[in-house]
Amino acid sequence: MAGPAFRAAAVRVRTPATSANLGPGFDAFGLSLGLYDDVVVRVADTGLHIDIAGEGASSLPRDESHLLVSALRTAFDLLGGQPRGLEVVCANRIPHGRGLGSSSAAICAGIVAARAVTIGGDARLDDTALLELATEIEGHPDNVAACLLGGFTLAWTENGAARAIRMDPAPSVVPVVFVPDAPVLTRTARGLLPRTVPHVDAAANAGRAALLVEALTRRPQLLLPATEDRIHQEYRQPAMEQSLVLVDRLRGDGVPAMISGAGPTVIALVEDDAADKVARLAGEGWAANRLSLDAAGASVLPLGS
């Protein structure tokens, strides 16, 4: 089989931040947020050149160990072969290590860009294969599903393969994120989880997760009870004590708040007329941001837009 041919022109990919779990939907639910990383990838004659601006500019590697480059390479292997050289320019806006899906954004940007710069890439690597590949690299499908598809997603594995469905959140729902200064490594947060949980807690979460689908898509007035969690957030408290304090305080005020992903960011899902007021409730030590919901997911955009 002949190797792939590549486009001479650069491609630009935009990937959204995501919030996973959303309370009871551990490793299953994801929400795509209106905060974006942009990457421009061009096939070059030789070598690898990486330019990074924004989040991680002073700390991320500029070699083959960069997560986005690793994702590019993995996708190119599936697409039939590697290009001679690569130029990669990253404009990062998603905070790193905060539970907003920065690693998923990098992975999805890499595989989408590899497909876009490969002639006939859509036929060689379709959307189902794209999700499976992103999940294989990330290790779980919740964030990458929301990043690729946009909207509100439910992801699962079936016979070892990642699957996901996309739903539209109710238009009145507004995410407000409270981002602390210090990051928490996902592996640290996951390492605090027990191997088993009480049956009563698992049953409670199953009911709340089902309710969350209805609340987030059709009846936002049910978001407070629908976002209650009993199987992961409290176990992670040693790694993000102040985050859990903020979650408890907000929920005590009737705000549907929860840990975003593996934390330590706190996300509140509120109706539009309450979003600005809720954003003022965090206090010192938190950067509060009212975001939009992203409907498009990972997108290939014109270079000049």
Side-chain angles (χ1 to χ4, degrees):
M1 177 176 165
F6 302 106
R7 303 184 192 283
V11 299
R12 175 188 172 200
V13 176
R14 170 166 285 184
T15 49
T18 51
S19 182
N21 301 331
L22 304 179
F26 180 71
D27 272 6
F29 289 159
L31 190 65
S32 188
L33 307 174
L35 177 65
Y36 302 94
D37 285 351
D38 282 275
V39 60
V40 175
V41 174
R42 188 179 77 85
V43 171
D45 290 334
T46 59
L48 171 66
H49 175 77
I50 305 172
D51 185 36
I52 304 170
E55 295 285 337
S58 62
S59 59
L60 290 174
R62 287 166 169 77
D63 56 25
E64 296 286 346
S65 66
H66 191 293
L67 180 58
L68 189 149
V69 175
S70 177
L72 277 165
R73 296 299 192 192
T74 302
F76 280 132
D77 282 342
L78 288 180
L79 288 162
Q82 298 289 329
R84 296 183 302 275
L86 285 171
E87 294 178 359
V88 180
V89 179
C90 305
N92 296 336
R93 303 175 188 88
I94 303 170
H96 289 191
R98 302 304 201 281
L100 288 171
S102 60
S103 63
S104 292
I107 290 166
C108 293
I111 63 177
V112 170
R115 184 173 75 170
V117 83
T118 302
I119 295 173
D122 288 351
R124 293 174 182 241
L125 192 63
D126 64 16
D127 289 347
T128 298
L130 210 64
L131 174 62
E132 292 176 0
L133 176 59
T135 301
E136 180 181 338
I137 298 170
E138 175 76 337
H140 46 91
D142 47 357
N143 283 100
V144 294
C147 188
L148 288 171
L149 302 178
F152 169 42
T153 55
L154 170 57
W156 71 98
T157 56
E158 185 174 331
N159 298 322
R163 298 288 182 263
I165 57 172
R166 181 194 181 283
M167 296 163 278
D168 289 317
S172 63
V173 173
V174 174
V176 179
V177 295
F178 304 90
V179 184
D181 292 334
V184 170
L185 294 176
T186 298
R187 64 176 177 268
T188 300
R190 279 191 171 266
L192 293 169
L193 297 177
R195 293 182 62 86
T196 61
V197 296
H199 185 276
V200 65
D201 290 342
N205 261 50
R208 290 298 195 269
L211 180 61
L212 183 53
V213 173
E214 175 72 9
L216 190 48
T217 58
R218 298 205 302 176
R219 289 199 271 181
Q221 67 271 22
L222 296 173
L223 278 169
L224 184 61
T227 51
E228 181 183 349
D229 164 69
R230 289 167 59 174
I231 68 169
H232 69 97
Q233 292 185 151
E234 292 297 331
Y235 293 108
R236 290 169 161 170
Q237 186 166 3
M240 55 192 84
E241 184 173 354
Q242 293 307 309
S243 297
L244 269 297
V245 168
L246 178 58
V247 167
D248 289 343
R249 180 160 62 82
L250 290 171
R251 293 186 69 84
D253 289 338
V255 177
M258 67 221 92
I259 299 296
S260 179
T265 290
V266 172
I267 183 169
L269 299 178
V270 299
E271 297 204 60
D272 182 71
D273 57 0
D276 291 337
K277 178 181 177 181
V278 169
R280 294 192 291 268
L281 296 178
E284 294 184 6
W286 299 89
N289 295 287
R290 169 183 173 148
L291 299 177
S292 60
L293 292 170
D294 169 77
S299 302
V300 179
L301 301 177
L303 282 174
S305 64

